[in-house]
Amino acid sequence: MVDVAARAGVSVKTVSRVVNNAPYVQPELAQRVLAAVAELGFRRNHLASSLRSGQATATIGLLIEEIANPFYATIAGAVAEVASDHDTMLLIASSEEDPAREQQLLRDLCARRVDGLLVVPAGEDHSFLQSEVDLGTPAVFLDRPAGELRADTVLLDNRGGARAGVRTLVEAGHRRVGILLDSTSVYTMRERLAGAREALAAAGAAIDDRLVRDGIRDPGTAARVVGELLDQPDPPTAFFSLNNRISLGAVEELHRRGSTAALLGFDDFDLARLLPYPFTVVAYDTRALARAAAELLFRRIAGDPSEPRSLLIPTDLVERGLPGR
Amino acid sequence: MVDVAARAGVSVKTVSRVVNNAPYVQPELAQRVLAAVAELGFRRNHLASSLRSGQATATIGLLIEEIANPFYATIAGAVAEVASDHDTMLLIASSEEDPAREQQLLRDLCARRVDGLLVVPAGEDHSFLQSEVDLGTPAVFLDRPAGELRADTVLLDNRGGARAGVRTLVEAGHRRVGILLDSTSVYTMRERLAGAREALAAAGAAIDDRLVRDGIRDPGTAARVVGELLDQPDPPTAFFSLNNRISLGAVEELHRRGSTAALLGFDDFDLARLLPYPFTVVAYDTRALARAAAELLFRRIAGDPSEPRSLLIPTDLVERGLPGR
DNA sequence: ATGAAAGCGCTAACAG
DNA sequence: CTGTTAGCGCTTTCAT
């Protein structure tokens, strides 16, 4: 900038004004400066700029589990759009479900002085963020609630969606429902399970805990567990799979066996229509979830001082066939 | 940092040393500093640090078309892993296939003084990056070659993969092959088309340009075009679809008609096994593509001064059934 | 409307 | 081993 100023025969401050499109610069001087900028290939150092001006790195941090996962990729895409509307760049970090790593990454994002944080939390305690939030780095949590920290939160209606879905199973006459999930250590799984329990309880159906199977991490395991449940005496007449990885394995096994069990899944699929076994899903709008969170964050960045808010994104039951009992 | 130094009764330099784990600090002083850091909630300002130290923002920029697209999400995931190995964060920007936007985003990334750039190019001319590269911001292009810029490039073997795939069609007796693509303005499509032409030409099959259809952007259009081609006199006996969006539509239409045409697709599917119509694909390792590019970039960042390199990632023919003529 | 000087928070270069 | 000083590139403040 000093070089540009020298070349244009003006002060650095004038260069700064021109580069930032500030008013009150004579067109003639501005021309000279622009010419010098072009000749010298000058590019403003954004780091120095935001160091001096205090805030506004025009960057937000997004912390997710894993960017390659389509759910998080969809979130990242929607967030990127909102960020782009605010001329803001996106720093993306993947926690890989490791709370220690999550904490380190969040600290690092703060050290880079992002304007705000969008977090799909992995850990249970985010109190370490309190000082950052107090110091003016707003944080919005999405998909899962923050632990030990009062902050804005945007969640799916996991419980309500599961309840509505399982209610249709009950209404179709099913009482023995096999429930397949990965881990109760994940908030969304607990909520979905609770919703299922509520719907069954409302029908006066005692829940058979032997039909609830967790630890299912991949389609192969899901297929095996479905087989085991079907092979036991008094097998389930319906299944509720709590995410789409599990649904996939269930579809395969039910199709393979020519079963007539009903299948309900949480999470929609792009290709559900083409799969060889009909099933109904509890769908939701991932982009709406992410957009709501991002827009809330930018409102906070703009200075909205109101109390922390909790938003709930509704789910939608998409019926694609559900055999009765 | 000044406050921490005062509190610990040491100089700022000592604080700096402690915070950066520099050697030659008495454990006792280090303890005092660490205590002061904790009490004051001090967090090092990464911006100021990299401003002063010249380089090393520990950030790389990734420019892609659209993060929500699974192909790019997979790339981002693999890049994030490599970056994480180098304690580096990832700034992701989506060009949305707009060359002007691409240029603006790349300039912005440079203004933020990223240590390097990973680019899936959208535009045809990247000469504007020359000065940045000369000034020490290395750039590696992936999936498509850079325009008007000598730079490292990592590409898929689009042409070879298409050639090998279509050769199997030819060997199965097919001579009339319908070719479905979105746009010849995209490098990868041109290459795949060229590979298909080569394989057909090698078999002495005159290419019927009426069987080559472009402008197919979605599965619905793909299905319609497949129908049109099958309904014309002397229809194709096989189809080659140049990406998986198109393959999806083709699968649907062929299945719907109970057709016996062979289907070959470029791009593999997660769920290909479950789809209702058998087809063979030219598969490739997207993560390998991204890893190779990222590793090359970090080698450049570390100072590798050798000539720009071009890497070619091989493809793999996955046969899942291919009816003969 | 333009410029001079100070300083954002940190680290490099030197002293001690 | 520790401290002092200067300065990264920019913007703020206050003159002019």
Side-chain angles (χ1 to χ4, degrees):
Chain A
M1 208 175 233
V2 174
D3 297 344
V4 172
R7 178 103 177 194
V10 298
S11 75
V12 286
K13 178 66 236 196
T14 299
V15 176
S16 173
R17 286 197 179 95
V18 173
V19 168
N20 292 290
N21 298 312
Y24 308 129
V25 179
Q26 282 192 335
E28 187 203 343
L29 284 192
Q31 278 313 319
R32 291 221 310 267
V33 170
L34 257 19
V37 163
E39 286 165 34
L40 270 49
F42 167 83
R43 190 125 322 139
R44 172 155 155 275
N45 185 326
H46 191 270
L47 268 57
S49 159
S50 45
L51 173 59
R52 178 64 241 236
S53 61
Q55 291 306 327
T57 52
T59 310
I60 60 172
L62 172 64
L63 188 106
I64 54 188
E65 304 265 309
E66 191 213 347
I67 181 66
N69 177 318
F71 175 66
Y72 296 110
T74 304
I75 287 179
V79 168
E81 280 177 23
V82 177
S84 173
D85 292 343
H86 293 261
D87 293 317
T88 293
M89 282 234 172
L90 199 55
L91 214 35
I92 299 187
S94 295
S95 69
E96 287 154 31
E97 306 221 40
D98 175 352
R101 187 174 154 83
E102 171 185 49
Q103 179 163 346
Q104 189 216 313
L105 289 171
L106 287 173
R107 284 188 192 282
D108 195 353
L109 287 168
C110 290
R112 283 156 202 265
R113 296 296 189 269
V114 292
D115 297 336
L117 243 22
L118 242 21
V119 185
V120 179
E124 298 289 315
D125 181 2
H126 298 87
S127 54
F128 65 93
L129 275 181
Q130 189 67 60
S131 55
E132 305 292 349
V133 173
D134 294 344
L135 255 70
T137 306
V140 175
F141 287 74
L142 63 162
D143 193 45
R144 304 172 190 173
E148 314 298 319
L149 180 69
R150 288 194 63 225
D152 294 310
T153 310
V154 184
L155 301 173
L156 294 176
D157 184 15
N158 291 287
R159 189 182 289 236
R163 205 191 301 122
V166 173
R167 188 160 51 219
T168 64
L169 290 178
V170 167
E171 284 167 3
H174 297 283
R175 289 296 178 275
R176 295 189 60 71
V177 179
I179 297 183
L180 314 169
L181 64 147
D182 54 2
S183 167
T184 51
S185 70
V186 179
Y187 166 81
T188 49
M189 293 294 125
R190 287 198 301 273
E191 287 293 303
R192 292 171 193 180
L193 184 54
R197 285 191 190 278
E198 286 172 14
L200 284 166
I207 290 161
D208 186 343
D209 278 317
R210 286 167 306 170
L211 298 185
V212 178
R213 302 286 293 265
D214 67 6
I216 306 174
R217 310 236 173 269
D218 55 274
T221 308
R224 186 171 50 69
V225 170
V226 165
E228 286 171 16
L229 289 172
L230 286 176
D231 287 339
Q232 70 187 23
D234 198 7
T237 62
F239 289 91
F240 179 30
S241 85
L242 266 53
N243 71 32
N244 58 11
R245 241 184 352 270
I246 298 175
S247 299
L248 199 55
V251 161
E252 275 200 86
E253 183 65 15
L254 293 174
H255 172 59
R256 200 180 64 76
R257 292 183 168 234
S259 169
T260 58
L263 178 60
L264 170 74
F266 212 106
D267 291 350
D268 202 0
F269 273 78
D270 272 354
L271 276 58
R273 207 165 20 105
L274 289 176
L275 291 184
Y277 199 85
F279 67 116
T280 287
V281 296
V282 181
Y284 48 84
D285 188 345
T286 307
R287 290 176 46 82
L289 171 75
R291 291 197 75 92
E295 274 158 9
L296 189 46
L297 181 65
F298 279 105
R299 230 171 292 140
R300 295 298 182 192
I301 291 173
D304 178 349
S306 58
E307 286 293 291
R309 228 167 293 176
S310 285
L311 268 48
L312 206 61
I313 305 294
T315 59
D316 182 28
L317 198 65
V318 181
E319 311 219 21
R320 297 214 183 81
L322 201 64
R325 252 220 77 196
Chain B
M1 208 175 235
V2 174
D3 296 345
V4 172
R7 178 105 180 194
V10 298
S11 75
V12 287
K13 180 67 233 195
T14 299
V15 176
S16 173
R17 286 199 179 93
V18 173
V19 168
N20 291 290
N21 298 312
Y24 309 128
V25 179
Q26 282 193 334
E28 186 204 343
L29 284 191
Q31 279 313 318
R32 293 221 308 268
V33 170
L34 257 20
V37 163
E39 286 165 34
L40 271 48
F42 168 83
R43 191 122 323 135
R44 172 157 156 276
N45 185 326
H46 190 272
L47 268 56
S49 161
S50 45
L51 173 60
R52 176 63 241 235
S53 62
Q55 292 306 326
T57 52
T59 309
I60 60 171
L62 172 64
L63 188 106
I64 55 188
E65 305 265 309
E66 192 212 348
I67 182 65
N69 176 319
F71 175 66
Y72 296 111
T74 304
I75 287 179
V79 168
E81 280 177 24
V82 177
S84 173
D85 292 343
H86 292 261
D87 293 317
T88 293
M89 283 234 172
L90 198 55
L91 213 36
I92 300 188
S94 296
S95 69
E96 287 154 29
E97 305 219 41
D98 175 351
R101 187 174 154 83
E102 172 184 50
Q103 178 163 348
Q104 189 218 312
L105 290 171
L106 286 173
R107 284 187 193 281
D108 195 354
L109 287 168
C110 290
R112 282 154 201 267
R113 295 298 188 265
V114 292
D115 297 336
L117 244 22
L118 241 23
V119 184
V120 179
E124 298 290 315
D125 180 3
H126 298 87
S127 54
F128 65 94
L129 276 180
Q130 189 66 59
S131 54
E132 306 290 350
V133 173
D134 294 344
L135 253 70
T137 306
V140 175
F141 288 73
L142 63 160
D143 192 46
R144 304 173 190 173
E148 315 297 320
L149 179 69
R150 287 193 66 224
D152 292 311
T153 311
V154 184
L155 302 172
L156 295 176
D157 185 14
N158 292 287
R159 189 183 290 235
R163 205 190 302 122
V166 173
R167 187 159 53 219
T168 64
L169 290 178
V170 166
E171 284 167 4
H174 297 284
R175 290 297 177 274
R176 295 188 59 72
V177 179
I179 297 183
L180 313 169
L181 65 147
D182 54 2
S183 167
T184 51
S185 71
V186 180
Y187 167 81
T188 48
M189 292 295 126
R190 286 198 302 271
E191 287 293 303
R192 292 170 194 180
L193 185 54
R197 285 188 190 280
E198 287 171 13
L200 283 166
I207 289 160
D208 187 344
D209 278 317
R210 285 166 307 170
L211 298 185
V212 178
R213 302 285 292 264
D214 67 6
I216 305 175
R217 310 238 174 266
D218 55 274
T221 308
R224 186 170 52 68
V225 170
V226 165
E228 286 171 16
L229 289 172
L230 286 176
D231 286 339
Q232 70 187 22
D234 199 7
T237 62
F239 289 90
F240 179 30
S241 85
L242 266 53
N243 71 31
N244 58 10
R245 242 183 352 269
I246 298 174
S247 300
L248 199 54
V251 162
E252 276 202 84
E253 183 65 15
L254 293 174
H255 172 59
R256 201 180 64 75
R257 292 184 170 232
S259 168
T260 58
L263 179 59
L264 169 75
F266 211 105
D267 291 349
D268 202 359
F269 273 78
D270 271 353
L271 275 58
R273 207 165 20 104
L274 288 175
L275 292 185
Y277 198 86
F279 68 116
T280 286
V281 296
V282 181
Y284 49 84
D285 188 344
T286 307
R287 289 176 47 82
L289 170 76
R291 290 197 76 91
E295 274 157 9
L296 189 46
L297 181 64
F298 279 104
R299 229 171 293 142
R300 294 299 181 191
I301 291 172
D304 177 348
S306 58
E307 286 294 290
R309 228 166 294 174
S310 285
L311 268 49
L312 207 59
I313 305 295
T315 59
D316 182 27
L317 199 64
V318 181
E319 311 220 20
R320 296 214 183 83
L322 203 65
R325 251 222 77 194

